Every structure is written in C-alpha cells, then in structure tokens.
Amino acid sequence: MSTQTTLTQFIIEQQRKLPEASGDLTLLINDIAAACKRISHTVNRGSMTGMLGSAETENVQGETQKQLDIITNDIMVEALDWTGHLSGMVSEEVDDIIPIPEQFPKGKYLALFDPLDGSSNIDINLTVGTIFSILAGEDGADARQEDFLQKGTEQVCAGFVLYGPSTMMIITTGQGVNGFTLDQDVGEFILTHPQMTIPEETQEFSINMSNQRFWEPAVQRYIDECLQGTEGSRDKNFNMRWVASMVAEVYRILTRGGIFLYPVDNRDSGRAGKLRLMYEANPMGFIVEQAGGICSTGYERILDIQPTDIHQRVPVILGSKSEVERVTAYHQE
Ligand code: P6P
C-alpha cells in the first residue's frame, strides 16, 4: 500500500479542516500544478525544443524576453483561463491584466505569476521556476486592475515550482510550508518536505556583489561585516551564494537557512529595486514568514505594503530571522 501523500490528497485533507471551504481553491491549485508539470516537461527538453534563446521582444519591465518566458506564460494562461476559478490574471510577461475570455465562466480567485523566474539562466541550464500568488476577487465579475492591488497579507495561497535536478512545488495556504517532489513516472507531486522551517541563524548570504557600489549604507555595512567575519564585529564567518534565480535562493534558504538581499540601489531612482512586489516578493514573503523567517524592504514588512501598480518593484531582504532583523536594525539607525 503506498504511503506516499500526493499534492491533491494533501490539499483536500487541509481543505477538510476548513468547513467553509468550497473546494475551488483545491481545484485551482491542481490546475496550477498541471500547468507547471507541462512547463517542467518543456524546460527539461532544453535545446531539443528549439525554444531557447531570446524572443527579440521586451516585457513591461523593459527586459528582453526569452522564448520560454512567452511559452511558459501561454502555458499558465491556457491552463487556467477556462477553469471557472478565476476572474482575472496578472503575469510578469504581460503589461495589462489578463481577462477571462467571454466563453468561460468567471470565478472568485485572482492568480498572479512569474511564469519563468530566473529565465536568464535557462540557456546555461541552471534552476529556474514558476512563482504564483492567489488572491480573493469578486466572484463572477471581470477583474479590474484595482482588484489585484491587495496587500501581501491578503494572499490566500502562494507557491513556487522549481525546475532543477528535480521538479518541486513549495506551497503555503497559511498553515505552514510544504514541499512536494514531482514523480515524473507517475506525474504526481509527492509530499517529501512537510512543514519546512527556516533556521533562525545562518552563515550564508546571497546578493549580487557586482552592484555593491550602488547600495544603501545599511546594506554596505551589513555585507562588509559578513565579509570581515570573525576578524570584524561578527562572531562567525560567512559563505556566499548567488544563483541569479530567486526560486533557487529561496528554496536553499528554506532547506538550510540564509539571507537573500536584492536591495534598492542608487541607479534605481524611482524604481525601488529590481524584484516585483505582486508576483515575486509577496508570494515569497508569505512562504518565508510561514516558515518562520522574515521578509522586509529594510524599512517595512513586505506583506504590509499597499500596492499601487501590478508591476511595481520593491527592495527585498528575506530569510533567517536573526540576520534579517540585523539588516533592518541597520536601516533604522
Ligand atoms: P541579477 C531573475 O531575473 C530575478 O528576477 C530573480 O530571480 C533573481 O534573484 C534576480 O533577478 C537576479 O538578478 O541582477 O543578479 O541578474
């Protein structure tokens, strides 16, 4: 008798604890899982698909899109728009909100996603992923942009799928964080990492050091102290990791602790950092907090930010509690 718990079984058992649950969220999460299995298959075929490389187009961020950015976005939209669970979608790869086509019923949720985070790594075969966030919308209505502008604390569900040596889904609905590994033979996500928690202490930091001369003083000070280790004011030495794929950094932090920083820098006048609030910082912030970590801009809790635009950017400092608290304390000084 298999003792393995599938994603579907796990979510249904969690749903049973909520008597008011209708089952729509369970079905929506399964639809997202199905889309990500399809993305995993596409990404795993690599250059055999002839889909690597640039699409010669730019997204709303002004970033050159990879062919797979567009292909994976289409996979997500086509897997979700017909389901009757959504009243609209937001994607990193699409300027405006994505409406539900007339011929399909509209539901009570809003889905926001980065279909292929870290896609600059796709051509060099490093881990990439899909990040998603689910908010409550107005059941049956066409979603408007303002319906999406909800604080991160309003998220109903958040997760990401890693396309790495194994394909994994990490998900929270507010009752902790659980990790599932895709059994490619069976096509099921299997519970392999129940109740993931981030160690409060760490000796590992993640930041793109090439931007050092542009950082704020608080971040300069924190990273300098990490680099000095026991020869400076810290009582320990530090290691550094930078994968340039947020999904990979966050998963590593969930498994062994760490602090990830993508701070605002002085080139960003008015841009407030690189990472996007609605479909990167908020879902990752929900997951990190549910795992016992902290997610901050340096000045405020990310999940408390009142959004003003679906593609707005924020500085992100997340991970092990004691280190993030130190960085935020430096910002207050
Ligand atoms: P940089 C990927 O493009 C991304 O949005 C995150 O996944 C990643 O952490 C960051 O940007 C990498 O930025 O400047 O190092 O390329």
Side-chain angles (χ1 to χ4, degrees):
M1 177 65 180
S2 164
T3 56
Q4 292 184 329
T5 302
T6 65
L7 174 65
T8 306
Q9 180 183 349
F10 182 85
I11 300 167
I12 288 172
E13 286 170 354
Q14 278 209 324
Q15 173 197 313
R16 284 186 188 134
K17 297 173 192 166
L18 307 170
E20 73 282 3
S22 64
D24 285 346
L25 182 61
T26 296
L27 292 171
L28 174 56
I29 292 170
N30 271 304
D31 295 333
I32 291 171
C36 292
K37 289 177 201 172
R38 203 164 298 127
I39 293 174
S40 173
H41 174 73
T42 303
V43 165
N44 289 345
R45 288 178 54 77
S47 54
M48 290 187 294
T49 59
M51 297 177 193
L52 297 188
S54 170
E56 311 301 331
T57 53
E58 276 193 359
N59 62 18
V60 65
Q61 331 288 343
E63 295 161 341
T64 302
Q65 290 174 302
K66 299 285 188 186
Q67 293 179 75
L68 279 176
D69 282 325
I70 297 168
I71 291 162
T72 54
N73 178 74
D74 294 347
I75 290 173
M76 288 292 284
V77 171
E78 288 159 20
L80 301 178
D81 66 0
W82 58 270
T83 60
H85 303 311
L86 298 176
S87 57
M89 293 180 244
V90 159
S91 168
E92 177 184 83
E93 302 307 330
V94 179
D95 298 8
D96 299 321
I97 63 174
I98 303 165
I100 301 304
E102 274 310 305
Q103 68 268 33
F104 299 134
K106 295 167 185 63
K108 62 183 177 183
Y109 292 114
L110 303 168
L112 305 90
F113 46 83
D114 177 357
L116 202 62
D117 176 67
S119 58
S120 59
N121 287 318
I122 200 73
D123 297 349
I124 55 171
N125 198 25
L126 286 182
T127 296
V128 294
T130 299
I131 308 173
F132 60 90
S133 171
I134 299 173
L135 295 166
E138 189 183 333
D139 197 354
D142 279 313
R144 300 152 306 163
Q145 173 140 243
E146 52 268 34
D147 297 321
F148 289 89
L149 300 180
Q150 300 178 43
K151 293 183 179 181
T153 48
E154 297 303 306
Q155 292 175 99
V156 172
C157 171
F160 62 93
V161 178
L162 277 169
Y163 311 113
S166 65
T167 290
M168 289 191 69
M169 178 183 281
I170 311 304
I171 189 166
T172 185
T173 54
Q175 285 90 33
V177 176
N178 292 282
F180 299 80
T181 302
L182 180 62
D183 178 337
Q184 302 272 7
D185 299 328
V186 175
E188 284 281 7
F189 279 103
I190 305 298
L191 179 64
T192 51
H193 296 68
Q195 290 303 322
M196 300 184 83
T197 55
I198 299 174
E200 285 204 15
E201 302 298 331
T202 184
Q203 290 176 247
E204 198 158 66
F205 68 91
S206 299
I207 195 166
N208 182 337
M209 288 298 291
S210 66
N211 299 326
Q212 186 174 25
R213 62 190 183 281
F214 305 121
W215 298 333
E216 306 171 292
V219 175
Q220 296 272 8
R221 173 185 172 188
Y222 175 73
I223 297 298
D224 284 348
E225 291 174 353
C226 288
L227 294 172
Q228 292 166 34
T230 53
E231 293 161 36
S233 62
R234 298 304 305 271
D235 58 357
K236 53 188 175 181
N237 294 317
F238 283 77
N239 188 29
M240 196 201 96
R241 285 286 181 276
W242 188 249
V243 184
S245 182
M246 187 184 197
V247 288
E249 318 280 8
V250 171
Y251 182 70
R252 186 189 58 250
I253 289 169
L254 284 166
T255 56
R256 68 187 193 206
I259 180 171
F260 167 90
L261 306 93
Y262 211 107
V264 66
D265 74 39
N266 60 34
R267 294 168 297 174
D268 285 341
S269 53
R271 207 179 70 149
K274 175 177 184 184
L275 301 180
R276 276 62 57 153
L277 173 63
M278 299 307 294
Y279 40 79
E280 287 175 330
N282 271 345
M284 291 309 204
F286 189 14
I287 288 166
V288 165
E289 287 193 0
Q290 281 288 311
I294 295 179
C295 185
S296 170
T297 64
Y299 298 100
E300 64 180 313
R301 181 189 183 205
I302 291 262
L303 297 191
D304 285 339
I305 296 173
Q306 175 53 57
T308 54
D309 181 84
I310 55 175
H311 295 297
Q312 78 184 74
R313 299 168 188 267
V314 288
V316 177
I317 301 164
L318 62 78
S320 292
K321 190 169 181 291
S322 70
E323 293 301 318
V324 178
E325 283 176 341
R326 177 183 288 264
V327 181
T328 53
Y330 291 174
H331 279 78
Q332 310 309 328
E333 286 176 15

